[in-house]
Amino acid sequence: MTNIDVFSKDLSALHTPLVLAVTKKDDELQVPTFPALLDFARAAGMTGKLGEVNRVPSPHDFSADFVVFAGVGSPNTPADVLQNFREAAGNVTRSITSEELAFSFPTKNREEVLATLEGALLGAYRFAKYQSNPAKTLQTLYFPSGDALTETEYSQLQATIKAVTRVRDLVNTSPLELYPDSMAQAFKKASKNLPVSFEKWDYHDLKDQGFGGLVAVGKGSKRKPCLVKLTYAPEGAKAHVALVGKGITFDSGGYSLKPSSSMLTMKSDMTGAATMGAVCLAAAEMRLPVTVTAWLCLAENLVSGNASRVDDVITMRSGKTVEITNTDAEGRLVLADGLTMATAQHPDLVIDMATLTGAQRIAFGTRIAGVMGCQKDRIRDASVKVGEPAWTAPLPDYLLEHLHSDVADIANSSSKREAGMLVAGIFLKQFVGDTPWAHIDIAGPGFNTGSAWGYTPKGGTGYGVRTLLEVIAEMGR
Ligand code: BES
Ligand code: MN
Ligand code: ZN
């Protein structure tokens, strides 16, 4: 983990490479914290645009080897300033490899300090697990005192970074070693030193206790499904939030097999569960005054002589029967069983998160999640606030017709492609009853198959962690 060191030394006397923000105000280029270097920045080719990062040898009267200029654009609203600082700082730590960096950004309040630090720490992420010769990583981030944060703010920031890192690491891990049981063990281990209890339903428990969805999806693999429940229940909690995550450690599609090009990246189909587990642990680490239960619905969707067929009719944990019309619509089956368990505890809010539909990617692209369900607005608002914008979509009941089955209560997929993201949401809605609920489809933003940008790396992004922590923190206020 990167150390944060607050310093107040003379910037030009630093031996550590210095990062300077470059802005553009009323068409004028500025280096707000070091005006004397304006011409130097201009000569380095800076125009102040967000995304620009230029590394140049230091001026001769500097002690450090190099200086980095980072464009932060011309943000207008306070929220834009936060997001631009976050992204600009991330652009630097993502693209510059150095064990030490000193940041000098024109932060005017603690929110701006926090956003800059958050972006810098998130951008410094590297996944080197399988690399024989990993590059250096950022060890220490020097950050001018000015707006020194409180101990609590620092530890909450570190808990947030840890949670995002945990999600990225799990998502990026090869599915050869990450499967339902190993993922469960990872969370069991992580919960040991925290006030978080760990419970697990193994394959035989799932069969005995009627978890038809989890069993149908996971039984085709030698590495059987399981359900994990993490509970953080602080004394005097002001509310109870239940989190349900889709944890398909690899999605081949099953007998409704995916074409091989669509199967690539399907190790990331456990992102929802990884996020819910990491958020529960972080809430405990931050001692948020809210009870958080996380339900991780873990299964591997493979083909074998023991896998589900299409035409199979299964009985879910809730008692509803489902005709499997497409084995690749597996996420909703495992989530439905998780939602049944979560809602049975009557929490104040149930949120599920899943890489659920290709349709979500088509509709909203790769940076914005889709949020559905009666509690969608509060999720959207929190997501915009923390810079992980999600947007809302309706779940009109007439769409239930698309899931009509001639033999069972409901089918798991529609033969029509229209409104694929919403139809999946409508399926889930049948398992939540009256409990206040939001469904977040992160098929797009959960995994970055394009190039890295801002503080978002390629591969697992950790998108959604900060939104959920914000929602939980709000419920504790
Ligand atoms: N895991 C996929 C959804 C997905 C696709 C996530 C691309 C990330 C990127 C999901 O299990 C799936 O296969 N959904 C099907 C549903 C369909 C069969 C109704 C889909 O979207 O095609
Ligand atoms: Mn699938
Ligand atoms: Zn899937």
Side-chain angles (χ1 to χ4, degrees), residues 246 251 258 266 269 326 328-330 332 355-359 361 413 443:
K246 170 177 174 180
D251 182 12
K258 287 184 184 294
M266 279 304 129
D269 216 17
N326 190 322
D328 198 12
E330 84 296 339
R332 58 198 77 181
T355 45
L356 203 60
T357 65
R361 270 176 87 89
S413 79

Side-chain angles (χ1 to χ4, degrees), residues 246 248 251-253 256 258 262 264-266 268-270 301 325-332 354-361 403 412-417 420-421 423-424 441-444 447 449:
K246 170 177 174 180
I248 303 299
D251 182 12
S252 72
S256 310
K258 287 184 184 294
S262 319
L264 257 180
T265 75
M266 279 304 129
S268 66
D269 216 17
M270 33 53 75
N301 189 20
T325 50
N326 190 322
T327 61
D328 198 12
E330 84 296 339
R332 58 198 77 181
T355 45
L356 203 60
T357 65
Q360 191 280 323
R361 270 176 87 89
L403 296 173
N412 80 325
S413 79
S414 161
S415 53
K416 298 188 181 128
R417 299 221 301 162
M421 174 175 76
V423 171
D441 193 336
I442 55 164
F447 193 84
T449 51

Side-chain angles (χ1 to χ4, degrees), residues 385-438:
K385 185 172 166 192
V386 303
E388 291 177 334
W391 215 252
T392 58
L395 292 182
D397 282 325
Y398 65 78
L399 285 177
L400 189 54
E401 283 169 30
H402 290 242
L403 296 173
H404 170 80
S405 165
D406 288 334
V407 292
D409 296 337
I410 188 173
N412 80 325
S413 79
S414 161
S415 53
K416 298 188 181 128
R417 299 221 301 162
E418 60 204 51
M421 174 175 76
L422 313 187
V423 171
I426 285 286
F427 181 93
L428 297 178
K429 193 178 172 192
Q430 310 312 306
F431 296 85
V432 293
D434 301 328
T435 311
W437 165 67

Side-chain angles (χ1 to χ4, degrees), residues 18 80 92 119 122-123 133 139 155 208 221 231 257 264 291 308 327 360 370 451 453:
L18 181 63
D80 284 351
V92 172
L122 291 174
N133 300 305
Q139 300 297 323
S155 62
D208 284 355
S221 171
T231 308
L257 196 65
L264 257 180
T291 293
S308 285
T327 61
Q360 191 280 323
S451 3
W453 56 282

